[in-house]
Amino acid sequence: GAGVSQSPSNKVTEKGKDVELRCDPISGHTALYWYRQSLGQGLEFLIYFQGNSAPDKSGLPSDRFSAERTGGSVSTLTIQRTQQEDSAVYLCASSLVGTETDTQYFGPGTRLTVL
Amino acid sequence: GNSVTQMEGPVTLSEEAFLTINCTYTATGYPSLFWYVQYPGEGLQLLLKATKADDKGSNKGFEATYRKETTSFHLEKGSVQVSDSAVYFCALTPRGGAQKLVFGQGTRLTINP
């Protein structure tokens, strides 16, 4: 597709349930990023994948969060045993590494609400 | 570490007013600098960027100049419109390779007719 797509656009879940959020990056982009946007914390980096290298997981807030990228394309962010503080908009971005600016292009986000 | 500081909002202006949103950064080396915009109900969009000192990024009437000596990247527009109402984020990435964006806290701009 022309841009980064994410699904679902909205997700409401109960505390303690697991959720999976999906990201389809721009075709051909080698790097994929996950960020979180919440009222209290602004925009926070979570994790990024670059080609076949080990992902940078330095932004994941706890071991309940994990992500994978299959086939160098689609990525899934999984949150286990969700808590109310996980409520946020989860944003995915992709970029073409090797260009001068490595500009990141964002998807529309998944709004997660944990009740 | 790397950080970005934006002027606090919210900012409210009348249509056709001059806009400045201040942004300063702390980084090692020579980062790339960005302004992203988030319109109501929409995702983040790249507004403009600059990759080296004295570069000027511009788009949709907005401009920002990479000032290494003052570590700043202030966003300006000469005459704002109601449609410019949005949240603006200043951000940086270190130079080279895939690197996380470090964002400022965002500035909410409201333009009144």
Side-chain angles (χ1 to χ4, degrees), chain A residues 63-79:
Chain A
D63 59 8
R64 296 186 295 104
F65 289 71
S66 63
E68 62 177 18
R69 189 178 185 193
T70 54
S73 181
V74 171
S75 177
T76 302
L77 177 70
T78 301
I79 309 173

Side-chain angles (χ1 to χ4, degrees), chain A residues 35 37 48 100-104, chain B residues 36 38 51 97-99 101:
Chain A
Y35 295 85
Q37 185 175 24
Y48 85 72
E100 182 182 354
T101 60
D102 298 327
T103 301
Q104 295 179 31
Chain B
Y36 280 85
Q38 188 171 37
T51 61
Q99 299 283 355
L101 277 163

Side-chain angles (χ1 to χ4, degrees), chain A residues 42-85:
Chain A
L43 276 156
E44 307 171 274
F45 164 78
L46 296 177
I47 185 170
Y48 85 72
F49 300 87
Q50 159 54 11
N52 294 321
S53 302
D56 178 347
K57 304 179 182 180
S58 60
L60 295 178
S62 78
D63 59 8
R64 296 186 295 104
F65 289 71
S66 63
E68 62 177 18
R69 189 178 185 193
T70 54
S73 181
V74 171
S75 177
T76 302
L77 177 70
T78 301
I79 309 173
Q80 297 179 310
R81 305 181 302 282
T82 52
Q83 303 295 312
Q84 289 183 331
E85 61 263 29

